[in-house]
Amino acid sequence: VVMDAATERALESGTPAGLRGLFQALTTSGFDEGRAFHVLSQAMMHEFVVRAEQGMELDLDLFLNRATDYPGQAIRQGADGPEPPV
């Protein structure tokens, strides 16, 4: 729930820049808005966990890198494909 709220805030604020475009790319490629949101939320959660394991806070640039990769994987797997990688 916390990551969903953080992802929603990020999309609303447009921070990091490019996140809205990734969301748009997913919906344009056939993902419904809920699934597209989930792909980006998973990227945020995974980046947060990786950074927390290193004793660091979430880095928005690294999140954007991960978020950029996840939609491509999800698109290749199809709108009904498996979840993004862990």
Side-chain angles (χ1 to χ4, degrees):
V1 173
V2 171
M3 286 301 141
D4 285 349
T7 303
E8 185 173 356
R9 281 193 305 273
L11 284 166
E12 288 173 355
S13 69
T15 304
L19 191 61
R20 288 179 182 162
L22 294 174
F23 182 81
Q24 182 66 36
L26 284 166
T27 57
T28 299
S29 68
F31 285 74
D32 65 45
E33 288 187 1
R35 177 80 168 115
F37 179 85
H38 183 70
V39 169
L40 298 179
S41 181
Q42 286 292 298
M44 181 175 281
M45 181 186 71
H46 294 160
E47 188 58 37
F48 176 80
V49 168
V50 167
R51 298 291 287 179
E53 287 175 350
Q54 299 169 347
M56 305 171 104
E57 292 189 22
L58 178 69
D59 180 302
L60 290 179
D61 290 331
L62 294 176
F63 160 58
L64 185 59
N65 288 342
R66 187 178 296 270
T68 299
D69 187 46
Y70 278 27
Q73 291 179 40
I75 289 168
R76 286 190 297 276
Q77 293 171 353
D80 297 321
E83 297 297 315
V86 175

